[in-house]
Amino acid sequence: MSLKTKIYDIQLTNCLYNASGVYCREKEELDKLLNSKSGALITKSCTLNSRKGNPEPRYYCDNFGTINSMGLPNNSVKFYTDWIKENMLKPTFLSITELNFENFCKITQYISDMEHIKLPEFNLSCPNIIGKPQIGYDFEKMEEYLRKITEIYNKPFGVKLPPYFDPVHFQQVSDILNNYNKLKYITAINSIGNGLIIDIEKETTCIHPKNGMGGIGGKYILPTALSNVNNFYRLLPNKDIIGCGGIYTGGDIFAHILAGASAVQIGSCLYEEGIDCFNRLSNELLELMKNKGYNNISEFKGQLKTSSPTINR
Ligand code: RRO
């Protein structure tokens, strides 16, 4: 039995890896991910210059998941591309973004000739930059960014999308993405932006920036993540879908793959449980596959059935 998979032309020995932003900002974390059971790793989304991010407290976890408004703290694109160059032991994806179009063009240019950067994930969906809307919710802007990426970068790449909630939007986004042949995968979903978790005892918000509003992750978002994976699996037949959102068990991974994911990223669960979650989750998925008689994830990927209609009498 195997958990191996492929994202475009990159082979992964295990379909699990970290979600960008979690356990991947500092060298020690990246080094640990490299030696973990994850099949790949992805860096924290980075910018041209390092950033400290938003003021603390900026992360909080409750029984159902997490809220964060980190504000893109990172060590700069140079730090992460240098680290990748020195550590080529397992597939490593660079996540990049920028705060305005001009700098986005510059950072794309910066990585365009780097042989060691393969299938970078362009983050079009950070919800936590004060005064900056998410690119993925402005379809004209998203096209402009995609056009620039293909013009400057001109190699296979992926994008990280925000969650969508309406069939019309799934169709509109897919119509745009299908025009870009070099776009080989999408990661769905980023956190659900601008949620609010309230501490009723203290009568305060749980995090400080943006009046307490931040990206929601964890159990709160599994159904939304699965819907995005499945909608895009149907609407983007020539692209791989990376599932992200709400994974805490082997069963959650199975659901993502059944909905169409080729690989899955672990965010809130990794943050709370630590690096050993890759062992536990891999074992749980293998056990479930064994019970169901599957040897390989390709045997059930995208095979979600709709339940039989009930007959009303
Ligand atoms: O750093 C963040 O605040 C952050 C980013 Br860039 C993102 O893409 N998603 C998220 O939940 N937080």
Side-chain angles (χ1 to χ4, degrees):
M1 278 173 78
S2 146
L3 298 182
K4 72 176 193 300
T5 192
K6 223 173 159 187
I7 302 174
Y8 182 51
D9 61 349
I10 297 189
Q11 301 269 3
L12 275 61
T13 53
N14 185 338
C15 62
L16 316 185
Y17 60 110
N18 65 301
S20 174
V22 181
Y23 221 101
C24 57
R25 193 162 86 220
E26 304 303 336
K27 177 179 160 29
E28 300 72 46
E29 296 171 322
L30 291 163
D31 289 346
K32 279 190 190 157
L33 273 179
L34 202 64
N35 293 309
S36 78
K37 260 273 185 121
S38 77
L41 64 95
I42 184 164
T43 67
K44 170 67 185 167
S45 291
C46 60
T47 46
L48 284 165
N49 297 119
S50 64
R51 288 172 54 85
K52 285 201 163 66
N54 291 338
E56 295 186 1
R58 57 191 187 181
Y59 171 89
Y60 179 81
C61 177
D62 69 16
N63 290 337
F64 302 105
T66 57
I67 183 167
N68 88 83
S69 184
M70 308 303 286
L72 206 38
N74 77 89
N75 291 316
S76 83
V77 64
K78 181 176 183 319
F79 173 90
Y80 297 105
T81 51
D82 283 354
W83 185 89
I84 291 172
K85 197 170 187 178
E86 285 160 20
N87 296 279
M88 307 275 280
L89 292 178
K90 69 164 81 157
T92 299
F93 302 96
L94 178 75
S95 170
I96 65 169
T97 189
E98 252 301 342
L99 302 194
N100 60 50
F101 192 61
E102 195 190 334
N103 284 349
F104 187 84
C105 295
K106 279 190 197 156
I107 201 167
T108 306
Q109 187 74 56
Y110 182 86
I111 64 160
S112 63
D113 293 328
M114 293 184 174
E115 288 288 317
H116 54 290
I117 301 302
K118 301 257 189 323
L119 292 182
E121 186 182 274
F122 288 84
N123 184 354
L124 304 182
S125 48
C126 177
N128 300 330
I129 305 302
I130 295 159
K132 301 278 178 192
Q134 293 172 73
I135 297 155
Y137 287 144
D138 180 336
F139 297 165
E140 270 179 32
K141 215 179 219 174
M142 183 154 71
E143 272 232 79
E144 203 183 335
Y145 276 70
L146 287 166
R147 229 179 287 128
K148 260 298 168 207
I149 298 169
T150 40
E151 196 183 302
I152 300 174
Y153 187 69
N154 200 28
K155 284 185 281 186
F157 68 97
V159 291
K160 175 113 172 229
L161 296 175
Y164 299 97
F165 304 93
D166 190 291
V168 171
H169 292 160
F170 285 122
Q171 187 65 58
Q172 287 173 337
V173 171
S174 301
D175 287 346
I176 294 170
L177 300 181
N178 277 325
N179 287 329
Y180 294 89
N181 198 27
K182 288 268 159 65
L183 175 66
K184 298 300 183 188
Y185 72 93
I186 63 139
T187 303
I189 56 177
N190 208 320
S191 54
I192 299 183
N194 300 296
L196 179 61
I197 298 183
I198 291 175
D199 182 327
I200 54 168
E201 199 181 315
K202 294 191 199 141
E203 304 181 13
T204 63
T205 63
C206 292
I207 58 170
H208 178 73
K210 285 181 79 179
N211 294 323
M213 273 165 263
I216 304 294
K219 297 188 175 93
Y220 288 112
I221 76 167
L222 180 63
T224 303
L226 291 175
S227 161
N228 276 256
V229 167
N230 194 236
N231 274 286
F232 285 122
Y233 180 71
R234 291 166 198 275
L235 291 165
L236 303 173
N238 301 317
K239 307 192 191 301
D240 286 325
I241 314 298
I242 314 304
C244 181
I247 293 174
Y248 288 82
T249 67
D252 298 335
I253 300 168
F254 188 86
H256 266 267
I257 295 170
L258 203 63
S262 295
V264 297
Q265 298 178 348
I266 317 296
S268 297
C269 173
L270 171 60
Y271 199 114
E272 291 303 314
E273 186 176 335
I275 204 103
D276 286 344
C277 75
F278 291 114
N279 258 324
R280 178 181 64 78
L281 290 168
S282 304
N283 290 338
E284 286 181 16
L285 179 59
L286 283 166
E287 180 70 19
L288 186 58
M289 285 167 59
K290 191 174 107 195
N291 292 340
K292 284 173 170 283
Y294 293 120
N295 284 309
N296 212 295
I297 71 166
S298 59
E299 291 170 11
F300 59 95
K301 186 178 102 179
Q303 297 302 310
L304 179 66
K305 301 183 279 285
T306 34
S307 63
S308 317
T310 39
I311 296 161
N312 293 315
R313 290 172 194 277

